Amino acid sequence: MMKYYDVCIVGGGLAGISTAYYLLKYGVKNVILFEASRNVGGLLRSMVINGYTFDIGGSHIIFSKDSSTLREILNILNGNYVRHRRNSKIYIDGRYVKYPFENGLKDLPPEKRFECLRDIIEIYIKRLKGEVKEPRNFLEWLYYVFGNCIVNTYLKPYNEKLWKIDLSEVTLEWVQGRVPTPPIEDVMKAAVGLDTEGYKHQLNFYYPLRGGIESLIKSLINEISGKVMIKVKSRVRRVRLDDNDLIVEVSDDEVRCKYVVYTAPLNESANILKDVLGGMSRELSLLRSVPLIVTSIGFGGSSLPYHWVYVPQKDIIFHRFAFLSNYSPLNAPKNCTALITETSLSNQDELRSLNEYTFLRKVVEGLEYLRIVKSEKDIEVYNITKWFNAYVIYDRVRSEVLSKAKSKLLENNIILHGRFGLWEYLNMDAVLSKSQSIARFILSKSE
């Protein structure tokens, strides 16, 4: 007889695991979770190699504008965390400029400092006078807010390197709530050498003391272990309707459930959801994302005192690197450095055809150029991790596809969730907050 569950969760990343946690917390106990890979955690995965701990899903930190959500995350970690004041930079023309760039103008040469200040004041006055058109896309918005110098020096080259597309294809949805408009007074202060801070919601952040960022996943697992059925290496093949229930077919089984919380990559879900969406399901494959390679490197010796560094320079292959041993001293053996680099690619085919040796050589060359390592002989351990979906692209197709698919699925008790289920760039705090809301919604429907 087919087993019945109140809730079936598809995907074992932070969205799926935290949803299971909150469902259990609110008393919904008959829950099963399917994860296609051999491990849960999604992008919040850590790997230990010879005493080095690497976050193989990229650089992640814990912060939130919402104090209650932040307290919740720290409570889940149960004291296993350290607090930091952000020390992050942007590498520009041989200099480490304070992040965010507009707050680090004092680190630029005087001529460039003047040019950036002049341009942002000029565009600010034009906006006040109504002399510039309202922006229609991300690229126009950058020029509309920051002026030519800041955009051409950093924002445009860095974002093009990250997104691998023409920035005019990125909609203003990406800006909303993610890219704040800097106070003009702060920019003026920075240009004359006074200290200012931007992105203040992440100025102070937290990070696990032990176990890397995956400690958050493991802490959640400890809370639900033995109470929620978790099945790894179980790829969902199909979700279909059956009277008032949903049937979830996996590799070697199928279950009946009332609700499905769907966190798997939506762009790869056309066949899985076609019974519910019909012909509309084909449009899911139009959703675009940026693949990512995370290179983990451990070497002897100390590091620069920074947390993470953005690299807009085109001839360096990676767009960002992070000193994880500055996140926690336990991430590397004594007097050693744990570092990761992040490199985005244009598409999944480029990722599949990657020559790992050639790629690693380019990463090391970039680190040598930056004088992070003297030579590849200094490297004690390394690892390359490939992610076929990392950053979701906010193009015009995205909103059209989601508006139709999301409501149709919800009508049939399938709730999209997480970065890849909602196709929305969510930070960890937003994921947990949405998980809590979903659990409350399901509880309210079952009462």
Side-chain angles (χ1 to χ4, degrees):
M1 184 177 176
M2 193 183 303
K3 291 183 179 179
Y4 175 86
Y5 293 89
D6 293 321
V7 184
C8 172
I9 300 170
V10 180
L14 179 61
I17 295 294
S18 60
T19 299
Y21 167 80
Y22 281 114
L23 285 167
L24 189 64
K25 189 174 181 179
Y26 294 148
V28 182
K29 298 179 180 179
N30 191 21
V31 178
I32 188 169
L33 183 149
F34 294 111
E35 166 56 40
S37 66
R38 66 182 66 182
N39 300 106
V40 297
L43 290 172
L44 299 191
R45 296 266 308 281
S46 303
M47 174 183 287
V48 179
I49 311 174
N50 295 345
Y52 291 90
T53 300
F54 301 107
D55 294 338
I56 59 174
S59 171
H60 299 280
I61 59 173
I62 297 166
F63 64 93
S64 183
K65 293 179 180 178
D66 184 86
S67 58
S68 62
T69 300
L70 181 58
R71 282 196 303 271
E72 178 85 1
I73 298 173
L74 297 181
N75 286 337
I76 291 168
L77 286 171
N78 195 28
N80 178 33
Y81 57 82
V82 288
R83 186 176 186 267
H84 293 287
R85 185 176 176 88
R86 181 187 66 211
N87 184 5
S88 298
K89 302 290 182 178
I90 302 154
Y91 186 80
I92 298 279
D93 296 332
R95 296 168 180 260
Y96 286 95
V97 177
K98 181 181 176 178
Y99 166 85
F101 186 81
E102 60 272 16
N103 295 92
L105 296 184
K106 68 175 184 178
D107 296 327
L108 298 172
E111 299 82 1
K112 178 65 77 171
R113 209 185 307 172
F114 164 74
E115 186 183 344
C116 288
L117 180 59
R118 179 199 65 201
D119 286 0
I120 197 169
I121 290 176
E122 184 179 274
I123 197 67
Y124 177 76
I125 293 170
K126 286 184 176 179
R127 287 203 311 271
L128 290 178
K129 290 182 174 182
E131 294 177 357
V132 285
K133 292 180 180 178
E134 291 286 329
R136 296 163 296 177
N137 56 60
F138 182 43
L139 181 62
E140 290 182 0
W141 183 87
L142 290 175
Y143 284 112
Y144 180 84
V145 171
F146 295 94
N148 290 335
C149 180
I150 293 177
V151 174
N152 293 335
T153 303
Y154 167 58
L155 289 172
K156 186 170 183 282
Y158 177 76
N159 279 286
E160 286 177 340
K161 189 175 181 182
L162 170 66
W163 295 107
K164 294 291 189 290
I165 62 172
D166 187 326
L167 299 182
S168 64
E169 295 181 46
V170 179
T171 69
L172 292 176
E173 290 174 293
W174 163 247
V175 175
Q176 294 164 4
R178 292 205 57 86
V179 190
T181 302
I184 192 69
E185 219 174 79
D186 281 0
V187 181
M188 294 168 71
K189 286 178 180 178
V192 298
L194 298 176
D195 283 330
T196 62
E197 299 291 354
Y199 298 2
K200 292 180 181 178
H201 56 285
Q202 61 156 224
L203 178 59
N204 296 296
F205 69 90
Y206 297 82
Y207 182 85
L209 177 62
R210 296 177 180 83
I213 199 64
E214 191 174 336
S215 292
L216 180 57
I217 294 293
K218 289 182 176 178
S219 295
L220 289 165
I221 291 291
N222 286 339
E223 295 294 327
I224 65 176
S225 181
K227 304 166 187 173
V228 170
M229 176 70 72
I230 298 176
K231 299 191 71 173
V232 297
K233 294 191 288 186
S234 296
R235 184 176 296 277
V236 171
R237 304 294 185 188
R238 187 182 176 199
V239 178
R240 70 178 195 269
L241 301 170
D242 185 56
D243 293 330
N244 294 321
D245 292 332
L246 292 157
I247 307 298
V248 178
E249 300 178 11
V250 293
S251 313
D252 56 354
D253 197 8
E254 60 181 30
V255 299
R256 179 182 295 273
C257 54
K258 181 64 177 176
Y259 291 95
V260 169
V261 178
Y262 196 89
T263 75
L266 209 55
N267 61 334
E268 300 172 4
S269 301
N271 290 331
I272 298 171
L273 298 174
K274 66 181 179 182
D275 282 19
V276 181
L277 291 177
M280 190 192 306
S281 70
R282 292 191 296 270
E283 297 180 11
L284 298 180
S285 60
L286 299 175
L287 296 170
R288 293 193 290 172
S289 68
V290 179
L292 183 72
I293 304 173
V294 178
T295 307
S296 306
I297 292 177
F299 59 92
S302 59
S303 69
L304 294 171
Y306 312 135
H307 291 116
W308 65 88
V309 178
Y310 300 93
V311 186
Q313 194 166 317
K314 288 183 179 180
D315 56 358
I316 296 176
I317 194 168
F318 45 85
H319 62 266
R320 181 166 70 163
F321 64 95
F323 294 106
L324 295 187
S325 42
N326 290 339
Y327 288 31
S328 169
L330 302 185
N331 278 349
K334 190 175 181 181
N335 300 321
C336 294
T337 296
L339 173 146
I340 59 171
T341 69
E342 299 173 50
T343 307
S344 58
L345 300 181
S346 299
N347 52 61
Q348 294 187 358
D349 288 340
E350 186 180 357
L351 186 61
R352 291 187 187 94
S353 62
L354 183 80
N355 181 303
E356 290 193 8
Y357 175 81
T358 302
F359 175 79
L360 181 62
R361 182 60 248 169
K362 289 180 179 178
V363 169
V364 174
E365 285 173 358
L367 294 174
E368 289 173 342
Y369 176 86
L370 294 168
R371 298 182 181 177
I372 304 298
V373 297
K374 292 179 182 177
S375 77
E376 62 182 61
K377 295 179 182 177
D378 296 330
I379 296 173
E380 296 181 358
V381 299
Y382 71 89
N383 177 71
I384 292 175
T385 309
K386 303 174 183 177
W387 299 95
F388 284 88
N389 295 291
Y391 301 104
V392 299
I393 294 177
Y394 282 65
D395 58 10
R396 283 180 287 275
V397 170
R398 172 190 171 275
S399 57
E400 294 170 7
V401 171
L402 287 180
S403 62
K404 292 184 286 186
K406 187 177 177 182
S407 58
K408 178 70 173 177
L409 292 170
L410 188 57
E411 285 173 14
N412 292 284
N413 290 342
I414 300 174
I415 304 168
L416 298 179
H417 182 32
R419 177 181 294 194
F420 302 116
L422 278 172
W423 215 249
E424 186 175 341
Y425 195 102
L426 298 173
N427 290 325
M428 286 187 285
D429 62 327
V431 171
L432 265 77
S433 181
K434 286 181 181 292
S435 294
Q436 193 172 21
S437 297
I438 288 170
R440 285 173 174 161
F441 170 79
I442 291 173
L443 178 66
S444 70
K445 294 295 183 182
S446 60
E447 289 178 339

